[in-house]
């Protein structure tokens, strides 16, 4: 094992981040660029993207015309009907839903790698040990699902007239049974989850495969690094919400380094060197990436929860872009809008747009657009228009309210 500590520039780390995210040169990371004409092919290519990252974050907000998981897929696959993203979790597909980065769809092959989390989440991370406190409710939920089959989230709310406290308790118990590994989410329809017994959702050959906590951390951290290109220890841990796990994280990074799978690598910024990690193959890929000439006029909208964007400090460092999510701010205090989608052009984040889908009218309204430059060049205006048209096609709505600034 070499004791040498590598270092890379911000420009190099940015290229690696974009490549790892499938947004610079998809062929470099064996990702498709187009959805394909057939829905079955499009779904298969969507699944390939989920497999690449190891997770696809979910969120309920659909104000822009698509939820975040669909936007992430549409930003990688040209000509994708974004609604296909809603159909990915269904019986027989190689995904399961669990707490990864947040609530995510995760490749089924990684199910054994979350045994450590299922053990830790037998006591709910937010609500405490509701299963031990309410064993009869837990038994009742399990018996009902065993007898009647999968239950939707709505089914768990009981009939009208049930007290809100009881509704809340039943849903919390079902959630705790899911996080602890007694239940699994069979599918989503209309974004409504269906809970089922884990043995009816996860195939036995997957369910029974044993992976140690150490092996799981090695797999997950290496997968995170592959998608980030270069990353700090904090970013790698946050990819999988590994909290209060410092000893296991550092042990894993030490093993991966000893095995030659990763190398320590500092990021050289104007102010300081930030310690981090890189894979040897990504160091080798750098010269080819640096020779690329990204298409600056081919803009694309990104979800605010895109794998490239959720680490806001990292985005600021690599792109000099202040990533904001203003959903929870009062309207009068928002700077950009309710649910702004950043716009990527080439290797720059050139601005953001706040969109509202009006399905009944068949249109997508651009409520506001903001460029990073106070006087955006023509290529940025063109890229913004390309990004908006591509997104409106993906969600099947006519674009309104956008005209390039003069």
């Amino acid at each position: 094992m070499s004791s040498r500590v590598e270092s890379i520039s911000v420009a190099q780390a940015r290229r690696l981040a974009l490549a790892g995210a499938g947004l610079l040169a998809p062929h470099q990371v064996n990702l498709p660029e187009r959805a394909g004409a057939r829905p079955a092919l499009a779904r298969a290519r969507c699944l390939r993207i989920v497999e690449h990252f190891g997770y696809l974050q979910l969120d309920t907000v659909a104000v822009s015309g698509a939820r975040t998981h669909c936007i992430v897929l549409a930003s990688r696959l040209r000509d994708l009907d974004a609604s296909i993203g809603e159909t990915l979790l269904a019986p027989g597909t190689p995904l399961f839903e669990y707490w990864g980065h947040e609530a995510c769809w995760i490749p089924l092959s990684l199910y054994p790698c979350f045994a450590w989390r299922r053990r830790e989440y037998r006591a709910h991370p937010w609500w405490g040990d509701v299963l031990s406190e309410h064993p009869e409710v837990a038994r009742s939920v399990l018996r009902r699902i065993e007898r009647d089959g999968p239950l939707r989230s709505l089914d768990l709310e009981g009939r009208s007239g049930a007290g809100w406290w009881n509704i809340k308790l039943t849903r919390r118990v079902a959630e705790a049974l899911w996080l602890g590994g007694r239940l699994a989410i069979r599918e989503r329809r209309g974004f409504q989850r269906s809970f089922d017994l884990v043995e009816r959702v996860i195939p036995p050959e997957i369910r029974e495969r044993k992976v140690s906590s150490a092996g799981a951390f090695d797999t997950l951290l290496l997968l995170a690094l592959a998608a980030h290109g270069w990353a700090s220890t904090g970013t790698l841990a946050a990819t999988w919400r590994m909290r209060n796990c410092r000893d296991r994280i550092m042990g894993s990074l030490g093993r991966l380094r000893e095995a030659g799978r990763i190398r320590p690598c500092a990021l050289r910024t104007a102010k300081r060197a930030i310690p981090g990690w890189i894979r040897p193959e990504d160091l080798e890929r750098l010269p080819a990436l640096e020779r690329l000439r990204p298409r600056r006029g081919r803009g694309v909208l990104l979800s605010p929860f895109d794998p490239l964007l959720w680490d806001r400090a990292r985005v600021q460092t690599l792109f000099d872009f202040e990533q904001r999510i203003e959903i929870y701010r009062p309207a009068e205090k928002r700077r950009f809008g309710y649910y702004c989608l950043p716009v990527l052009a080439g290797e720059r984040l050139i601005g953001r747009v706040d969109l509202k889908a009006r399905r009944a009218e068949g249109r997508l309204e651009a409520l506001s657009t903001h460029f990073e430059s106070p006087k955006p060049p023509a290529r940025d205006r063109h890229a913004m228009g390309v990004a908006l048209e591509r997104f409106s096609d993906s969600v099947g709505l006519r674009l309104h309210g956008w005209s390039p600034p003069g």
Side-chain angles (χ1 to χ4, degrees), residues 67-85:
R67 295 183 177 91
T68 182
H69 46 291
C70 299
I71 300 172
V72 169
L73 298 170
S75 66
R76 272 85 178 163
L77 295 172
R78 298 184 67 81
D79 306 319
L80 179 70
D81 176 349
S83 66
I84 287 177

Side-chain angles (χ1 to χ4, degrees), residues 76-281:
R76 272 85 178 163
L77 295 172
R78 298 184 67 81
D79 306 319
L80 179 70
D81 176 349
S83 66
I84 287 177
E86 297 286 4
T87 69
L88 292 186
L89 187 70
T93 56
L95 295 178
F96 72 104
E97 184 170 327
Y98 196 58
W99 201 260
H101 174 67
E102 297 281 355
C104 295
W105 289 341
I106 301 172
L108 195 56
S109 60
L110 291 178
Y111 183 84
C113 291
F114 287 89
W116 62 276
R117 175 157 287 165
R118 290 190 290 273
R119 288 192 297 269
E120 292 182 359
Y121 280 8
R122 285 172 184 166
H124 197 284
W126 304 289
W127 304 326
D129 196 358
V130 294
L131 299 181
S132 294
E133 293 168 5
H134 304 282
E136 279 301 321
V137 177
R139 283 193 289 269
S140 174
V141 169
L142 289 169
R143 282 196 301 266
R144 183 177 174 188
I145 292 175
E146 182 178 16
R147 182 187 67 240
D148 299 337
L151 288 178
R152 298 177 304 161
S153 299
L154 286 174
D155 297 328
L156 293 167
E157 294 182 356
R159 299 176 180 176
S160 58
W164 170 246
W165 182 85
N166 288 326
I167 294 171
K168 200 173 197 179
L169 174 60
T170 304
R171 291 180 65 179
R172 285 184 173 183
V173 165
E175 182 103 358
L177 289 167
W178 166 58
L179 289 175
R182 303 282 298 281
L183 293 179
I185 294 172
R186 184 175 183 83
E187 63 182 333
R188 279 186 183 259
R189 290 188 180 181
F191 210 60
Q192 275 288 319
R193 296 182 296 180
S194 290
F195 291 94
D196 202 350
L197 301 179
V198 69
E199 56 266 30
R200 296 202 295 228
V201 176
I202 309 298
E205 65 273 16
I206 298 290
R207 195 173 67 248
E208 295 167 8
R209 184 159 61 89
K210 304 298 182 186
V211 175
S212 67
S213 176
F217 272 61
D218 292 357
T219 296
L220 294 174
L221 291 173
L222 191 60
L223 184 58
L225 185 57
H228 289 306
W230 172 92
S232 67
T233 300
T235 293
L236 295 178
T239 303
W240 302 108
R241 287 294 188 264
M242 292 174 172
R243 293 172 175 161
N244 303 316
C245 300
R246 178 173 175 77
D247 288 347
R248 282 180 286 180
I249 292 167
M250 299 312 296
S252 177
L253 295 173
R255 287 189 298 275
L256 292 170
R257 181 184 181 183
E258 186 72 32
R261 307 293 300 278
I262 67 174
R263 295 182 189 175
C265 181
L267 178 65
R268 302 188 305 270
T269 73
K271 295 182 178 179
R272 63 189 180 104
I274 303 174
W277 303 92
I278 196 168
R279 299 185 309 160
E281 54 264 49

Side-chain angles (χ1 to χ4, degrees), residues 328-383:
Y328 303 110
R329 293 176 66 86
E332 65 275 10
K333 294 185 178 180
R334 292 178 194 140
R335 181 178 172 188
F336 298 114
Y338 177 74
Y339 192 78
C340 276
L341 280 66
V343 183
L344 177 71
E347 60 182 323
R348 297 182 304 121
L349 292 166
I350 62 168
R352 61 201 94 202
V353 58
D354 190 25
L355 299 174
K356 185 173 181 61
R358 303 189 186 279
R359 287 281 175 191
E361 302 165 27
R363 62 190 179 97
L364 179 68
E365 186 174 348
L367 300 177
S368 64
T369 55
H370 301 268
F371 287 92
E372 287 294 281
S373 171
K375 295 182 178 179
R379 70 168 180 258
D380 286 1
R381 299 196 299 270
H382 175 72

Side-chain angles (χ1 to χ4, degrees), residues 287-303:
L289 292 177
E290 291 179 291
R291 289 192 295 269
L292 290 175
R293 294 292 179 264
R295 298 181 182 180
R296 298 177 179 179
R298 184 182 284 186
V300 62
L301 299 186
L302 301 180
S303 162

